[in-house]
Amino acid sequence: MMSETYNLIIIGAGPGGHAAAEYAARCGARVAIIEKDQWGGTCTHRGCVPTKALLACSKQYMNIKKLKRFGISTGEVSLDYTAMKRHQRQMVTTSSLGVQKSLKDAGVELIYGEGKIANPGELIWISPQGDTQRLIADNIIIACGSEPLLPPHIKPSQRVLTSDSFLALETLPESVIIVGGSIIGVEFATFLAELGVKVTIVELLDRIIPNEDEEAAGFLRQELTRLGITIHTSARMETLQEIPDAVLMKAIQNTQVLELKADYALMCTGRKPVLIIDELNQCGIGYGQKGIIVNENQMTNVEGIYAIGDVTGGVMLAHRAIQQGKYVASKIYGDHSIKYSEEAVPSVIYTHPNVARVGLTEKQASEQGLKVETRRMEYAANIMARTELKGNGFVKAVFSEDRLIGVTIIGDDASELIASMSLAVANGMGKKELKKWIIPHPTLSEILQLL
Ligand SMILES: Cc1cc2nc3c(=O)[nH]c(=O)nc-3n(C[C@H](O)[C@H](O)[C@H](O)COP(=O)(O)OP(=O)(O)OC[C@H]3O[C@@H](n4cnc5c(N)ncnc54)[C@H](O)[C@@H]3O)c2cc1C
């Protein structure tokens, strides 16, 4: 069998693999990336990009209702879901082509097919036709990502969908039961309800978005309810049955039995890392239920084999995978200048309004025994938010010993506002540094005038 030799081979071309490959190649390494499905991974094809394309459509639709207040009259407004799906597909294609172009421009070799680690430093590439080739590499990065996780007794079907199969639907249903009120569940709920679908959320815990600030979660619940979404918290799905045109669900909420019916059930019950157990065992690579185990350098217990992104478990977000990818590449082939800190990974929930956070919530900080000081700013007190009818919302900034350790924002464009706060938290900024910050006026960013 012929063998090719590389400095670095990456398995999986999602955001993590893409970022690592490009960075290492730009540092002068000979790099190959193997992808068995689609260039851009979950983020481009089944995650960030298609969901945000649909949320952009539903947001514009909702914005039309504000136009009258701005003195603009429109004719009759109608929805064309086929055109929205076209927008979704176009954005996915644009993103996927962008991934391929930037990899090629950096000099990365793109290999289509499945990658299997045979031994440390040795992989087998299996082409879509089933041909195999041996590949040799000084270093290997596993960036195989994650897939939807369903409760043990639930099987996906025509009417029991995961986020993957839901995004492939071409028509807008009339009603959907969403199981799980965390990030993915509430994002789907938002765009569906905005487009007129009857949405019911069934959440096991006593609140939606349980990892976020309690007050922000309560605020979002109110907003989603106002959109017409029915939210059942502390509700456990007991049975789910598919009948010819619908699904029937029985859930227990405290002592009450809820009997629900909808066109589809959408399972947003978490994600699991893609682990090829035989391969990991054969190479002696350590893993647990949450994913491949890595040290502070993202290296597995096997020298020269690294893992990044969703496959390592933890907070499954694209920008976390990207930063980990660049971090590893810079450590092996660059000047070690890229840093990665789990505490500085921001998260955004693209509901309308958005919920964005970096660092700790007030409660998390107090639970860690930190002495906490919280500053709060309101959207209602910001003239740009008022002028542009951005609605309500607030910012909560958490300081400890004068250092900014966390910010939560709920409100329009929180996804954009959190970026500067991420910079502040990542750099351990304190009141002294923040006092130098001059924010242009009038802007929504003035909401972040914390001091
Ligand atoms: C509905 C939804 C919405 C989301 N929205 C956001 C968002 O708005 N913002 C955000 O930050 N994150 C979001 N995410 C999460 C984000 O998509 C993931 O965190 C991110 O894609 C993880 O990147 P990754 O590189 O680790 O893996 P992935 O993107 O999962 O890519 C892994 C790739 O590896 C390939 N692969 C696997 N095994 C092999 C093999 N043996 N050989 C070759 N190739 C292989 C797969 O085909 C895949 O292309 C969302 C996820 C979902 C499901």
Side-chain angles (χ1 to χ4, degrees):
M1 197 194 293
M2 282 261 297
S3 64
E4 275 290 333
T5 302
Y6 296 88
N7 296 122
L8 173 67
I9 297 181
I10 295 159
I11 310 175
H18 169 202
E22 192 176 331
Y23 199 99
R26 291 205 187 279
C27 291
R30 185 175 184 215
V31 183
I33 186 164
I34 310 179
E35 172 55 54
K36 67 173 181 181
D37 187 11
Q38 288 168 306
W39 301 100
T42 305
C43 173
T44 291
H45 297 275
R46 300 171 296 279
C48 326
V49 177
T51 52
K52 267 80 249 178
L54 290 170
L55 278 157
C57 296
S58 67
K59 187 176 182 186
Q60 293 308 328
Y61 184 55
M62 295 306 280
N63 279 344
I64 290 172
K65 293 179 185 162
K66 293 182 185 168
L67 291 181
K68 208 164 175 198
R69 174 76 164 72
F70 288 118
I72 302 164
S73 308
T74 52
E76 200 188 320
V77 177
S78 61
L79 276 182
D80 180 354
Y81 197 59
T82 307
M84 292 183 184
K85 291 298 285 184
R86 197 180 311 127
H87 177 61
Q88 176 195 325
R89 274 194 298 275
Q90 280 171 351
M91 292 308 104
V92 166
T93 306
T94 304
S95 171
S96 187
L97 291 174
V99 168
Q100 292 169 65
K101 182 174 184 314
S102 66
L103 285 169
K104 285 179 192 159
D105 287 353
V108 177
E109 288 178 44
L110 279 68
I111 303 178
Y112 191 61
E114 196 179 337
K116 270 183 189 289
I117 306 177
N119 290 297
E122 184 186 342
L123 291 99
I124 305 296
W125 163 55
I126 308 162
S127 79
Q129 293 73 33
D131 303 326
T132 57
Q133 187 178 346
R134 190 164 163 261
L135 305 172
I136 305 294
D138 303 332
N139 293 293
I140 294 170
I141 299 179
I142 306 170
C144 295
S146 63
E147 58 194 6
L149 172 69
L150 272 67
H153 54 291
I154 301 295
K155 297 266 166 294
S157 69
Q158 289 265 306
R159 293 193 174 271
V160 178
L161 307 178
T162 63
S163 55
D164 292 359
S165 49
F166 196 94
L167 287 167
L169 281 186
E170 285 301 320
T171 51
L172 196 59
E174 278 181 20
S175 56
V176 178
I177 303 166
I178 296 179
V179 184
S182 200
I183 304 188
I184 296 178
V186 292
E187 286 190 2
F188 272 98
T190 299
F191 89 81
L192 287 170
E194 288 182 338
L195 298 182
V197 177
K198 184 173 176 294
V199 178
T200 307
I201 296 178
V202 175
E203 165 59 51
L204 184 65
L205 299 179
D206 62 358
R207 65 184 175 103
I208 56 168
I209 54 166
N211 292 333
E212 302 307 322
D213 176 84
E214 226 164 310
E215 194 185 349
F219 188 105
L220 182 67
R221 183 176 184 147
Q222 268 177 16
E223 293 292 319
L224 296 182
T225 307
R226 214 196 311 269
L227 259 182
I229 299 170
T230 306
I231 302 175
H232 298 293
T233 45
S234 304
R236 176 191 293 277
M237 176 181 67
E238 287 292 305
T239 58
L240 180 60
Q241 187 195 347
E242 191 175 331
I243 57 170
D245 298 324
V247 288
L248 302 176
M249 185 183 295
K250 223 178 240 177
I252 309 285
Q253 190 181 39
N254 305 318
T255 51
Q256 206 192 338
V257 178
L258 305 171
E259 303 216 1
L260 308 169
K261 185 179 178 191
D263 292 350
Y264 294 98
L266 169 57
M267 308 304 297
C268 298
T269 40
R271 294 183 64 80
K272 59 177 182 199
V274 173
L275 300 178
I276 305 182
I277 303 297
D278 290 347
E279 199 178 318
L280 296 174
N281 286 341
Q282 186 187 323
C283 300
I285 300 169
Y287 60 91
Q289 259 191 353
K290 289 186 178 163
I292 295 179
I293 299 165
V294 289
N295 66 13
E296 67 286 358
N297 295 325
Q298 297 295 136
M299 194 161 83
T300 67
N301 57 322
V302 178
E303 185 78 27
I305 301 184
Y306 298 79
I308 56 168
D310 286 9
V311 79
T312 62
V315 186
M316 293 186 176
L317 289 169
H319 43 275
R320 172 178 175 264
I322 291 170
Q323 189 69 5
Q324 288 179 342
K326 290 200 290 195
Y327 172 70
V328 173
S330 131
K331 265 222 172 295
I332 314 177
Y333 301 106
D335 60 2
H336 297 224
S337 59
I338 302 284
K339 306 286 174 223
Y340 174 74
S341 152
E342 191 88 12
E343 292 78 49
V345 177
S347 77
V348 177
I349 305 174
Y350 290 82
T351 42
H352 303 143
N354 306 157
V355 183
R357 176 177 54 81
V358 61
L360 300 176
T361 63
E362 210 174 4
K363 192 168 171 216
Q364 288 163 347
S366 302
E367 281 170 358
Q368 288 187 15
L370 298 173
K371 206 165 145 248
V372 171
E373 182 199 343
T374 304
R375 295 280 170 106
R376 187 191 163 105
M377 281 70 60
E378 301 291 336
Y379 269 57
N382 176 279
I383 194 58
M384 223 40 187
R386 300 295 286 255
T387 311
E388 297 191 341
L389 304 180
K390 297 256 187 223
N392 286 324
F394 60 83
V395 175
K396 265 191 195 176
V398 184
F399 289 88
S400 182
E401 313 278 337
D402 284 352
R403 202 166 58 85
L404 186 64
I405 56 165
V407 180
T408 293
I409 310 174
I410 180 161
D412 258 22
D413 297 327
S415 53
E416 300 295 332
L417 294 175
I418 202 69
S420 57
M421 294 295 95
S422 296
L423 188 66
V425 170
N427 286 291
M429 284 190 188
K431 290 184 178 172
K432 192 169 155 237
E433 290 78 18
L434 288 167
K435 278 180 181 162
K436 295 180 193 157
W437 190 28
I438 303 170
I439 307 174
H441 174 79
T443 56
L444 189 59
S445 298
E446 285 176 291
I447 276 178
L448 302 173
Q449 193 80 64
L450 307 174
L451 301 165

